[in-house]
Amino acid sequence: MAAALYDPANGYYARPAGQVGRGGDFFTSVSTGPLFGRLLARHIAAWHREAGSPDRWRILECGANDGSLAADILAALGDLRGLEYAIVEPLPLLAAAQRERLPAARIVRSPEELAGDAQPSFVLGNEVIDALPFHVIESDGRGWRLQGVTLSADDRFIWTDLGEAPPELVAGLPPRPAGYRSEVRDNLLPFLTPLAAAMTGGRMLWLDYGFERDDYYHESRTTGTLRTFSRHRAAEDPLESPGEIDITAHVDFTALGEALVQSGGTVLRFENQGRFLTEAAKPWLLELEGRTDEATRKDLRSFQTLTHPGHLGAKFHVMEAEFPANTKRR
Ligand SMILES: C[S@@+](CC[C@H](N)C(=O)[O-])C[C@H]1O[C@@H](n2cnc3c(N)ncnc32)[C@H](O)[C@@H]1O
């Protein structure tokens, strides 16, 4: 999965953006328009005030893709003194697209580059955790076995049983009947730790689709949550055209919460996107009273899409954690 998505030459995300949106392979909340970024900007500004309006501070976005969310957040925040907008972007072509769109932003290949210049920070990512590589595991009725990919004699990618899954990878997962397949990530803590090290306190906010562990490994979910996306069509075979299609699996938010705590944070909220954005939108909704212009109607349509349980409001969840100024790993 890491090679199929992130190989610098042939990975799906190694192209100069274009994966997200109408002309791409899938929509995200960012594609619904600037309202998503405007509401996140309100939430971030509220945190900045609560944190005592530090003179120097940073928004650090992961998975910024073509820079649309960053542009929307920055436009909504206006002229906030002392703010640096930084983006972690390991892929050169996406980084180039972001530099062109956001000349004032600081684009780094990894959060380690910021460790020497840590700031009070608001770290965020929309649909990033689901794009972190995961392991595919299958139960044999007694335990979990790791599934890998090899080349067949006639040069096709095929699934291969790699033997028993390492105990630490599957610790805490419930026993399941033979043939039950699912996914598990062991890279959450390594992903979060350098981000936490780049902050002198602040928040992390992750928005994504997923469930708590009980639901993720529910006995009825026998084939897991692995999906591929190509031209707005979902499928389930990641070996079909690696490098040309998106590969994703839902987020185990219990595992994400544990990793946030281990990296030094305290989980403040875990709720669906509908609730979260509705709370952030309250003052804006009051300001709209009596307005019927086309721009307002357009924003309200976006708001519906982002928050209605039948659209993105219930499928997406938000997990936010607070990090103290002297973050220590637990
Ligand atoms: C599904 S896209 C979401 C793009 C955008 N945030 C949106 O909501 O439209 C996932 C993005 O996460 C990026 N990504 C994956 N792993 C990353 C990592 N370790 N650091 C930074 N970005 C990462 C991918 O390159 C890709 O651009």
Side-chain angles (χ1 to χ4, degrees), residues 215-241:
D215 199 356
Y216 201 101
Y217 299 100
H218 193 271
E219 53 198 13
S220 64
R221 210 179 296 286
T222 54
T223 54
T225 68
L226 190 160
R227 300 284 178 276
T228 64
F229 284 92
S230 178
R231 308 216 167 276
H232 300 277
R233 284 220 324 269
E236 294 180 16
D237 182 5
L239 310 186
E240 193 189 322
S241 8

PDB file of all heavy atoms in Angstrom, residues 215-241:
ATOM      1  N   ASP A 215     -17.008  -1.563  16.869  1.00  0.00           N
ATOM      2  CA  ASP A 215     -17.763  -1.475  15.635  1.00  0.00           C
ATOM      3  C   ASP A 215     -16.870  -1.861  14.446  1.00  0.00           C
ATOM      4  O   ASP A 215     -17.302  -2.543  13.511  1.00  0.00           O
ATOM      5  CB  ASP A 215     -18.267  -0.029  15.503  1.00  0.00           C
ATOM      6  CG  ASP A 215     -19.421   0.085  14.545  1.00  0.00           C
ATOM      7  OD1 ASP A 215     -19.778  -0.943  13.935  1.00  0.00           O
ATOM      8  OD2 ASP A 215     -19.949   1.198  14.388  1.00  0.00           O
ATOM      9  N   TYR A 216     -15.616  -1.451  14.514  1.00  0.00           N
ATOM     10  CA  TYR A 216     -14.661  -1.723  13.421  1.00  0.00           C
ATOM     11  C   TYR A 216     -14.535  -3.237  13.212  1.00  0.00           C
ATOM     12  O   TYR A 216     -14.555  -3.730  12.084  1.00  0.00           O
ATOM     13  CB  TYR A 216     -13.297  -1.136  13.789  1.00  0.00           C
ATOM     14  CG  TYR A 216     -12.376  -0.883  12.623  1.00  0.00           C
ATOM     15  CD1 TYR A 216     -12.220   0.393  12.107  1.00  0.00           C
ATOM     16  CD2 TYR A 216     -11.670  -1.923  12.024  1.00  0.00           C
ATOM     17  CE1 TYR A 216     -11.385   0.642  11.040  1.00  0.00           C
ATOM     18  CE2 TYR A 216     -10.839  -1.691  10.951  1.00  0.00           C
ATOM     19  CZ  TYR A 216     -10.692  -0.409  10.463  1.00  0.00           C
ATOM     20  OH  TYR A 216      -9.877  -0.170   9.405  1.00  0.00           O
ATOM     21  N   TYR A 217     -14.381  -3.952  14.336  1.00  0.00           N
ATOM     22  CA  TYR A 217     -14.182  -5.409  14.243  1.00  0.00           C
ATOM     23  C   TYR A 217     -15.469  -6.150  14.598  1.00  0.00           C
ATOM     24  O   TYR A 217     -15.434  -7.242  15.154  1.00  0.00           O
ATOM     25  CB  TYR A 217     -13.005  -5.839  15.137  1.00  0.00           C
ATOM     26  CG  TYR A 217     -11.717  -5.175  14.708  1.00  0.00           C
ATOM     27  CD1 TYR A 217     -11.222  -4.056  15.384  1.00  0.00           C
ATOM     28  CD2 TYR A 217     -11.020  -5.634  13.591  1.00  0.00           C
ATOM     29  CE1 TYR A 217     -10.051  -3.425  14.965  1.00  0.00           C
ATOM     30  CE2 TYR A 217      -9.852  -5.002  13.164  1.00  0.00           C
ATOM     31  CZ  TYR A 217      -9.378  -3.901  13.854  1.00  0.00           C
ATOM     32  OH  TYR A 217      -8.227  -3.268  13.424  1.00  0.00           O
ATOM     33  N   HIS A 218     -16.608  -5.535  14.285  1.00  0.00           N
ATOM     34  CA  HIS A 218     -17.899  -6.166  14.557  1.00  0.00           C
ATOM     35  C   HIS A 218     -18.021  -7.464  13.767  1.00  0.00           C
ATOM     36  O   HIS A 218     -17.520  -7.562  12.638  1.00  0.00           O
ATOM     37  CB  HIS A 218     -19.028  -5.200  14.158  1.00  0.00           C
ATOM     38  CG  HIS A 218     -20.357  -5.619  14.673  1.00  0.00           C
ATOM     39  ND1 HIS A 218     -21.195  -6.449  13.965  1.00  0.00           N
ATOM     40  CD2 HIS A 218     -20.968  -5.356  15.842  1.00  0.00           C
ATOM     41  CE1 HIS A 218     -22.278  -6.684  14.681  1.00  0.00           C
ATOM     42  NE2 HIS A 218     -22.168  -6.023  15.822  1.00  0.00           N
ATOM     43  N   GLU A 219     -18.685  -8.450  14.376  1.00  0.00           N
ATOM     44  CA  GLU A 219     -18.733  -9.774  13.718  1.00  0.00           C
ATOM     45  C   GLU A 219     -19.400  -9.730  12.339  1.00  0.00           C
ATOM     46  O   GLU A 219     -19.122 -10.567  11.492  1.00  0.00           O
ATOM     47  CB  GLU A 219     -19.408 -10.808  14.628  1.00  0.00           C
ATOM     48  CG  GLU A 219     -20.758 -10.377  15.120  1.00  0.00           C
ATOM     49  CD  GLU A 219     -21.210 -11.192  16.336  1.00  0.00           C
ATOM     50  OE1 GLU A 219     -20.376 -11.901  16.923  1.00  0.00           O
ATOM     51  OE2 GLU A 219     -22.402 -11.096  16.665  1.00  0.00           O
ATOM     52  N   SER A 220     -20.229  -8.719  12.118  1.00  0.00           N
ATOM     53  CA  SER A 220     -20.920  -8.657  10.816  1.00  0.00           C
ATOM     54  C   SER A 220     -20.022  -8.072   9.712  1.00  0.00           C
ATOM     55  O   SER A 220     -20.324  -8.200   8.529  1.00  0.00           O
ATOM     56  CB  SER A 220     -22.175  -7.797  10.935  1.00  0.00           C
ATOM     57  OG  SER A 220     -21.798  -6.468  11.240  1.00  0.00           O
ATOM     58  N   ARG A 221     -18.905  -7.414  10.106  1.00  0.00           N
ATOM     59  CA  ARG A 221     -18.072  -6.730   9.097  1.00  0.00           C
ATOM     60  C   ARG A 221     -17.000  -7.713   8.600  1.00  0.00           C
ATOM     61  O   ARG A 221     -15.804  -7.531   8.825  1.00  0.00           O
ATOM     62  CB  ARG A 221     -17.426  -5.500   9.746  1.00  0.00           C
ATOM     63  CG  ARG A 221     -17.172  -4.369   8.765  1.00  0.00           C
ATOM     64  CD  ARG A 221     -16.560  -3.171   9.470  1.00  0.00           C
ATOM     65  NE  ARG A 221     -17.401  -2.557  10.464  1.00  0.00           N
ATOM     66  CZ  ARG A 221     -18.442  -1.801  10.213  1.00  0.00           C
ATOM     67  NH1 ARG A 221     -18.781  -1.547   8.961  1.00  0.00           N
ATOM     68  NH2 ARG A 221     -19.167  -1.281  11.184  1.00  0.00           N
ATOM     69  N   THR A 222     -17.435  -8.774   7.898  1.00  0.00           N
ATOM     70  CA  THR A 222     -16.545  -9.919   7.634  1.00  0.00           C
ATOM     71  C   THR A 222     -15.467  -9.643   6.588  1.00  0.00           C
ATOM     72  O   THR A 222     -14.500 -10.392   6.497  1.00  0.00           O
ATOM     73  CB  THR A 222     -17.370 -11.132   7.168  1.00  0.00           C
ATOM     74  OG1 THR A 222     -18.152 -10.692   6.043  1.00  0.00           O
ATOM     75  CG2 THR A 222     -18.281 -11.643   8.262  1.00  0.00           C
ATOM     76  N   THR A 223     -15.647  -8.609   5.782  1.00  0.00           N
ATOM     77  CA  THR A 223     -14.640  -8.348   4.739  1.00  0.00           C
ATOM     78  C   THR A 223     -13.914  -7.015   4.968  1.00  0.00           C
ATOM     79  O   THR A 223     -13.261  -6.500   4.059  1.00  0.00           O
ATOM     80  CB  THR A 223     -15.271  -8.358   3.321  1.00  0.00           C
ATOM     81  OG1 THR A 223     -16.364  -7.442   3.321  1.00  0.00           O
ATOM     82  CG2 THR A 223     -15.772  -9.742   2.956  1.00  0.00           C
ATOM     83  N   GLY A 224     -14.030  -6.461   6.175  1.00  0.00           N
ATOM     84  CA  GLY A 224     -13.266  -5.255   6.509  1.00  0.00           C
ATOM     85  C   GLY A 224     -13.788  -4.010   5.815  1.00  0.00           C
ATOM     86  O   GLY A 224     -14.926  -3.960   5.340  1.00  0.00           O
ATOM     87  N   THR A 225     -12.911  -3.009   5.772  1.00  0.00           N
ATOM     88  CA  THR A 225     -13.337  -1.706   5.224  1.00  0.00           C
ATOM     89  C   THR A 225     -12.427  -1.249   4.090  1.00  0.00           C
ATOM     90  O   THR A 225     -12.510  -0.101   3.661  1.00  0.00           O
ATOM     91  CB  THR A 225     -13.327  -0.617   6.331  1.00  0.00           C
ATOM     92  OG1 THR A 225     -11.961  -0.363   6.709  1.00  0.00           O
ATOM     93  CG2 THR A 225     -14.129  -1.016   7.552  1.00  0.00           C
ATOM     94  N   LEU A 226     -11.532  -2.133   3.628  1.00  0.00           N
ATOM     95  CA  LEU A 226     -10.628  -1.732   2.543  1.00  0.00           C
ATOM     96  C   LEU A 226     -11.449  -1.374   1.304  1.00  0.00           C
ATOM     97  O   LEU A 226     -12.319  -2.133   0.881  1.00  0.00           O
ATOM     98  CB  LEU A 226      -9.674  -2.884   2.221  1.00  0.00           C
ATOM     99  CG  LEU A 226      -8.502  -2.608   1.274  1.00  0.00           C
ATOM    100  CD1 LEU A 226      -7.421  -3.654   1.444  1.00  0.00           C
ATOM    101  CD2 LEU A 226      -8.877  -2.477  -0.177  1.00  0.00           C
ATOM    102  N   ARG A 227     -11.168  -0.207   0.739  1.00  0.00           N
ATOM    103  CA  ARG A 227     -11.841   0.214  -0.494  1.00  0.00           C
ATOM    104  C   ARG A 227     -10.822   0.843  -1.425  1.00  0.00           C
ATOM    105  O   ARG A 227      -9.820   1.384  -0.982  1.00  0.00           O
ATOM    106  CB  ARG A 227     -12.917   1.290  -0.224  1.00  0.00           C
ATOM    107  CG  ARG A 227     -14.038   0.872   0.696  1.00  0.00           C
ATOM    108  CD  ARG A 227     -15.057  -0.048   0.032  1.00  0.00           C
ATOM    109  NE  ARG A 227     -16.080  -0.450   0.985  1.00  0.00           N
ATOM    110  CZ  ARG A 227     -15.982  -1.456   1.859  1.00  0.00           C
ATOM    111  NH1 ARG A 227     -14.886  -2.177   1.899  1.00  0.00           N
ATOM    112  NH2 ARG A 227     -16.966  -1.737   2.682  1.00  0.00           N
ATOM    113  N   THR A 228     -11.147   0.785  -2.713  1.00  0.00           N
ATOM    114  CA  THR A 228     -10.352   1.544  -3.680  1.00  0.00           C
ATOM    115  C   THR A 228     -11.295   2.539  -4.349  1.00  0.00           C
ATOM    116  O   THR A 228     -12.519   2.315  -4.391  1.00  0.00           O
ATOM    117  CB  THR A 228      -9.746   0.629  -4.752  1.00  0.00           C
ATOM    118  OG1 THR A 228     -10.811   0.041  -5.500  1.00  0.00           O
ATOM    119  CG2 THR A 228      -8.879  -0.447  -4.122  1.00  0.00           C
ATOM    120  N   PHE A 229     -10.727   3.637  -4.842  1.00  0.00           N
ATOM    121  CA  PHE A 229     -11.544   4.634  -5.544  1.00  0.00           C
ATOM    122  C   PHE A 229     -10.868   5.009  -6.848  1.00  0.00           C
ATOM    123  O   PHE A 229      -9.665   5.264  -6.895  1.00  0.00           O
ATOM    124  CB  PHE A 229     -11.745   5.898  -4.688  1.00  0.00           C
ATOM    125  CG  PHE A 229     -12.754   5.684  -3.607  1.00  0.00           C
ATOM    126  CD1 PHE A 229     -12.355   5.260  -2.351  1.00  0.00           C
ATOM    127  CD2 PHE A 229     -14.105   5.857  -3.858  1.00  0.00           C
ATOM    128  CE1 PHE A 229     -13.283   5.024  -1.355  1.00  0.00           C
ATOM    129  CE2 PHE A 229     -15.045   5.626  -2.857  1.00  0.00           C
ATOM    130  CZ  PHE A 229     -14.637   5.216  -1.610  1.00  0.00           C
ATOM    131  N   SER A 230     -11.677   4.999  -7.886  1.00  0.00           N
ATOM    132  CA  SER A 230     -11.200   5.442  -9.192  1.00  0.00           C
ATOM    133  C   SER A 230     -12.380   6.056  -9.920  1.00  0.00           C
ATOM    134  O   SER A 230     -13.440   5.431 -10.044  1.00  0.00           O
ATOM    135  CB  SER A 230     -10.655   4.238  -9.962  1.00  0.00           C
ATOM    136  OG  SER A 230     -10.241   4.654 -11.230  1.00  0.00           O
ATOM    137  N   ARG A 231     -12.211   7.269 -10.355  1.00  0.00           N
ATOM    138  CA  ARG A 231     -13.273   7.990 -11.081  1.00  0.00           C
ATOM    139  C   ARG A 231     -14.632   7.876 -10.373  1.00  0.00           C
ATOM    140  O   ARG A 231     -15.639   7.534 -10.969  1.00  0.00           O
ATOM    141  CB  ARG A 231     -13.399   7.496 -12.517  1.00  0.00           C
ATOM    142  CG  ARG A 231     -12.069   7.500 -13.231  1.00  0.00           C
ATOM    143  CD  ARG A 231     -12.141   7.872 -14.690  1.00  0.00           C
ATOM    144  NE  ARG A 231     -10.800   8.139 -15.188  1.00  0.00           N
ATOM    145  CZ  ARG A 231     -10.167   9.295 -15.075  1.00  0.00           C
ATOM    146  NH1 ARG A 231     -10.748  10.324 -14.510  1.00  0.00           N
ATOM    147  NH2 ARG A 231      -8.957   9.453 -15.529  1.00  0.00           N
ATOM    148  N   HIS A 232     -14.587   8.083  -9.063  1.00  0.00           N
ATOM    149  CA  HIS A 232     -15.793   8.117  -8.232  1.00  0.00           C
ATOM    150  C   HIS A 232     -16.509   6.768  -8.130  1.00  0.00           C
ATOM    151  O   HIS A 232     -17.680   6.715  -7.780  1.00  0.00           O
ATOM    152  CB  HIS A 232     -16.759   9.230  -8.701  1.00  0.00           C
ATOM    153  CG  HIS A 232     -16.113  10.573  -8.628  1.00  0.00           C
ATOM    154  ND1 HIS A 232     -16.044  11.300  -7.467  1.00  0.00           N
ATOM    155  CD2 HIS A 232     -15.454  11.289  -9.565  1.00  0.00           C
ATOM    156  CE1 HIS A 232     -15.376  12.418  -7.696  1.00  0.00           C
ATOM    157  NE2 HIS A 232     -15.003  12.437  -8.964  1.00  0.00           N
ATOM    158  N   ARG A 233     -15.783   5.698  -8.469  1.00  0.00           N
ATOM    159  CA  ARG A 233     -16.367   4.365  -8.265  1.00  0.00           C
ATOM    160  C   ARG A 233     -15.573   3.645  -7.187  1.00  0.00           C
ATOM    161  O   ARG A 233     -14.345   3.579  -7.231  1.00  0.00           O
ATOM    162  CB  ARG A 233     -16.335   3.557  -9.562  1.00  0.00           C
ATOM    163  CG  ARG A 233     -17.395   3.993 -10.563  1.00  0.00           C
ATOM    164  CD  ARG A 233     -18.051   2.814 -11.292  1.00  0.00           C
ATOM    165  NE  ARG A 233     -17.131   1.724 -11.582  1.00  0.00           N
ATOM    166  CZ  ARG A 233     -16.441   1.643 -12.715  1.00  0.00           C
ATOM    167  NH1 ARG A 233     -16.543   2.574 -13.636  1.00  0.00           N
ATOM    168  NH2 ARG A 233     -15.644   0.608 -12.916  1.00  0.00           N
ATOM    169  N   ALA A 234     -16.292   3.075  -6.209  1.00  0.00           N
ATOM    170  CA  ALA A 234     -15.629   2.333  -5.138  1.00  0.00           C
ATOM    171  C   ALA A 234     -15.520   0.865  -5.553  1.00  0.00           C
ATOM    172  O   ALA A 234     -16.424   0.324  -6.198  1.00  0.00           O
ATOM    173  CB  ALA A 234     -16.429   2.446  -3.851  1.00  0.00           C
ATOM    174  N   ALA A 235     -14.396   0.239  -5.222  1.00  0.00           N
ATOM    175  CA  ALA A 235     -14.227  -1.194  -5.438  1.00  0.00           C
ATOM    176  C   ALA A 235     -13.388  -1.737  -4.290  1.00  0.00           C
ATOM    177  O   ALA A 235     -13.051  -0.987  -3.363  1.00  0.00           O
ATOM    178  CB  ALA A 235     -13.564  -1.445  -6.791  1.00  0.00           C
ATOM    179  N   GLU A 236     -13.073  -3.029  -4.326  1.00  0.00           N
ATOM    180  CA  GLU A 236     -12.418  -3.629  -3.157  1.00  0.00           C
ATOM    181  C   GLU A 236     -11.149  -4.391  -3.483  1.00  0.00           C
ATOM    182  O   GLU A 236     -10.618  -5.093  -2.642  1.00  0.00           O
ATOM    183  CB  GLU A 236     -13.418  -4.541  -2.427  1.00  0.00           C
ATOM    184  CG  GLU A 236     -14.558  -3.750  -1.825  1.00  0.00           C
ATOM    185  CD  GLU A 236     -15.570  -4.603  -1.099  1.00  0.00           C
ATOM    186  OE1 GLU A 236     -15.256  -5.764  -0.786  1.00  0.00           O
ATOM    187  OE2 GLU A 236     -16.673  -4.086  -0.845  1.00  0.00           O
ATOM    188  N   ASP A 237     -10.657  -4.287  -4.733  1.00  0.00           N
ATOM    189  CA  ASP A 237      -9.457  -5.045  -5.081  1.00  0.00           C
ATOM    190  C   ASP A 237      -8.261  -4.106  -5.295  1.00  0.00           C
ATOM    191  O   ASP A 237      -8.086  -3.548  -6.376  1.00  0.00           O
ATOM    192  CB  ASP A 237      -9.716  -5.866  -6.350  1.00  0.00           C
ATOM    193  CG  ASP A 237      -8.496  -6.700  -6.715  1.00  0.00           C
ATOM    194  OD1 ASP A 237      -7.517  -6.707  -5.930  1.00  0.00           O
ATOM    195  OD2 ASP A 237      -8.506  -7.332  -7.792  1.00  0.00           O
ATOM    196  N   PRO A 238      -7.399  -3.967  -4.273  1.00  0.00           N
ATOM    197  CA  PRO A 238      -6.279  -3.023  -4.396  1.00  0.00           C
ATOM    198  C   PRO A 238      -5.193  -3.513  -5.352  1.00  0.00           C
ATOM    199  O   PRO A 238      -4.281  -2.764  -5.684  1.00  0.00           O
ATOM    200  CB  PRO A 238      -5.743  -2.927  -2.965  1.00  0.00           C
ATOM    201  CG  PRO A 238      -6.106  -4.226  -2.339  1.00  0.00           C
ATOM    202  CD  PRO A 238      -7.398  -4.667  -2.971  1.00  0.00           C
ATOM    203  N   LEU A 239      -5.290  -4.780  -5.778  1.00  0.00           N
ATOM    204  CA  LEU A 239      -4.253  -5.325  -6.657  1.00  0.00           C
ATOM    205  C   LEU A 239      -4.591  -5.087  -8.133  1.00  0.00           C
ATOM    206  O   LEU A 239      -3.795  -5.414  -9.013  1.00  0.00           O
ATOM    207  CB  LEU A 239      -4.071  -6.831  -6.404  1.00  0.00           C
ATOM    208  CG  LEU A 239      -3.881  -7.244  -4.946  1.00  0.00           C
ATOM    209  CD1 LEU A 239      -3.566  -8.727  -4.849  1.00  0.00           C
ATOM    210  CD2 LEU A 239      -2.788  -6.416  -4.289  1.00  0.00           C
ATOM    211  N   GLU A 240      -5.739  -4.504  -8.376  1.00  0.00           N
ATOM    212  CA  GLU A 240      -6.234  -4.338  -9.746  1.00  0.00           C
ATOM    213  C   GLU A 240      -5.330  -3.420 -10.579  1.00  0.00           C
ATOM    214  O   GLU A 240      -4.812  -3.819 -11.599  1.00  0.00           O
ATOM    215  CB  GLU A 240      -7.642  -3.759  -9.671  1.00  0.00           C
ATOM    216  CG  GLU A 240      -8.417  -3.806 -10.958  1.00  0.00           C
ATOM    217  CD  GLU A 240      -9.691  -3.005 -10.794  1.00  0.00           C
ATOM    218  OE1 GLU A 240     -10.291  -3.073  -9.697  1.00  0.00           O
ATOM    219  OE2 GLU A 240     -10.054  -2.286 -11.719  1.00  0.00           O
ATOM    220  N   SER A 241      -5.115  -2.189 -10.154  1.00  0.00           N
ATOM    221  CA  SER A 241      -4.201  -1.295 -10.887  1.00  0.00           C
ATOM    222  C   SER A 241      -3.442  -0.412  -9.905  1.00  0.00           C
ATOM    223  O   SER A 241      -3.693   0.788  -9.823  1.00  0.00           O
ATOM    224  CB  SER A 241      -4.933  -0.432 -11.907  1.00  0.00           C
ATOM    225  OG  SER A 241      -6.312  -0.538 -11.807  1.00  0.00           O
TER     226      SER A 241
END
